[in-house]
Amino acid sequence: MSSSPEDELAGTEQPFVSHLIELRDRLIRALLAVGVAFGLLCLYPGPAGLYDLLAAPLVAHLPKGSSMIATNVLSPFLVPLKITMLAGFLVALPVVLYQVWAFVAPGLYSHEKRLVLPLVVSSTVLFFIGVAFCYFFVFGQVFKFIQGFAPKSIMAAPDIEAYLGFVMTMFIAFGAAFEVPVVVVVLARLGLVTVEKLREFRGYFIVLAFVIAAIITPPDIVSQLALAIPMCLLYELGIWAAGTFIRATKAPDDAEDAKDAAS
């Protein structure tokens, strides 16, 4: 006798509801972590202090007696607040990523856990390294280069909102560029490309890196080289990491898949 659709779906509501409850709890924990980080940053160094820290590379290269300006009435309040919220999210990012990992990990095979967790950690670290590289090295060189070409008849007084937009664009560009090794490893691990093909594509990638740098960075040679050269070096790192990672993880996959399926 065939079972009815109601019988086939019997018992599936409870697991679905429990997953929703777990998802809600982990979202709340992630938001609480961001909120706590935001609150602590509001206390010290404060929104104004954070903006001064962010603007320091530009202010250091402005002409003597010049400063940044705000052309919008609310900009002196809203712009530092936006920076504090973003900084709070970045500070709490490890907690947010852990909540995501803890939610999806039970449904993964052992070899998938071995793949996902290192990639999540490494991609986060590489993104922060890219942002730090941009702030501590690239900004100083770019602003020095730009001010060196500024006519003496012009008094530089950048707007704080425009500067925030520029900084966010540069941070995202360099943070994403430093993810090249992770992308290479994922593509190789999924079997979409081989390590040999990646080596053959090296020359094309160098051209692609300079094209991308020319598009997303300001029109100066310093920032373009500062983005393109690390991308090329990170591509080589990705090729090496892909070969090492595949050799380290692929061998036991079949046995562990069978073990997980049996359990």
Side-chain angles (χ1 to χ4, degrees), residues 4-250:
S4 64
E6 290 78 4
D7 294 336
E8 294 176 356
L9 295 176
T12 61
E13 296 85 353
Q14 187 60 34
F16 178 73
V17 172
S18 63
H19 284 313
L20 286 180
I21 293 175
E22 183 182 3
L23 177 61
R24 180 203 62 187
D25 293 342
R26 298 207 176 275
L27 285 174
I28 291 174
R29 292 170 190 168
L31 291 175
L32 284 176
V34 174
V36 169
F38 173 76
L40 293 176
L41 290 174
C42 285
L43 294 176
Y44 181 83
L50 279 176
Y51 190 88
D52 289 340
L53 182 64
L54 188 68
L58 175 61
V59 174
H61 292 89
L62 288 177
K64 188 176 181 180
S66 180
S67 63
M68 302 183 71
I69 62 172
T71 57
N72 188 297
V73 176
L74 296 178
S75 292
F77 170 74
L78 291 180
V79 173
L81 193 64
K82 291 178 183 178
I83 294 174
T84 307
M85 293 176 64
L86 178 62
F89 175 77
L90 293 177
V91 170
L93 187 58
V95 178
V96 175
L97 292 177
Y98 172 77
Q99 296 302 325
V100 175
W101 166 252
F103 179 73
V104 303
L108 300 177
Y109 287 117
S110 298
H111 75 276
E112 292 174 333
K113 294 179 183 178
R114 250 194 349 263
L115 174 66
V116 173
L117 184 57
L119 291 180
V120 169
V121 174
S122 60
S123 61
T124 304
V125 172
L126 286 171
F127 183 85
F128 282 129
I129 292 176
V131 170
F133 176 75
C134 181
Y135 178 83
F136 289 105
F137 175 75
V138 177
F139 279 172
Q141 301 303 316
V142 169
F143 297 145
K144 181 180 178 180
F145 179 84
I146 292 175
Q147 291 302 320
F149 276 83
K152 301 298 182 182
S153 58
I154 295 178
M155 175 62 73
D159 177 64
I160 61 174
E161 285 192 85
Y163 179 70
L164 176 61
F166 170 80
V167 166
M168 291 300 100
T169 301
M170 292 290 285
F171 279 171
I172 293 173
F174 277 84
F178 273 62
E179 300 294 328
V180 168
V182 176
V183 175
V184 171
V185 170
V186 171
L187 291 176
R189 185 61 182 83
L190 294 178
L192 299 178
V193 292
T194 63
V195 176
E196 290 72 20
K197 287 293 183 181
L198 290 170
R199 293 194 181 100
E200 294 175 3
F201 188 71
R202 180 184 288 118
Y204 298 100
F205 183 84
I206 293 174
V207 176
L208 180 63
F210 278 89
V211 171
I212 293 174
I215 293 174
I216 64 178
T217 59
D220 65 276
I221 190 65
V222 176
S223 58
Q224 292 175 12
L225 289 176
L227 181 61
I229 292 176
M231 285 181 68
C232 296
L233 296 176
L234 290 167
Y235 183 77
E236 296 297 327
L237 176 63
I239 294 176
W240 171 83
T244 304
F245 193 81
I246 290 173
R247 287 193 299 269
T249 60
K250 197 168 184 178

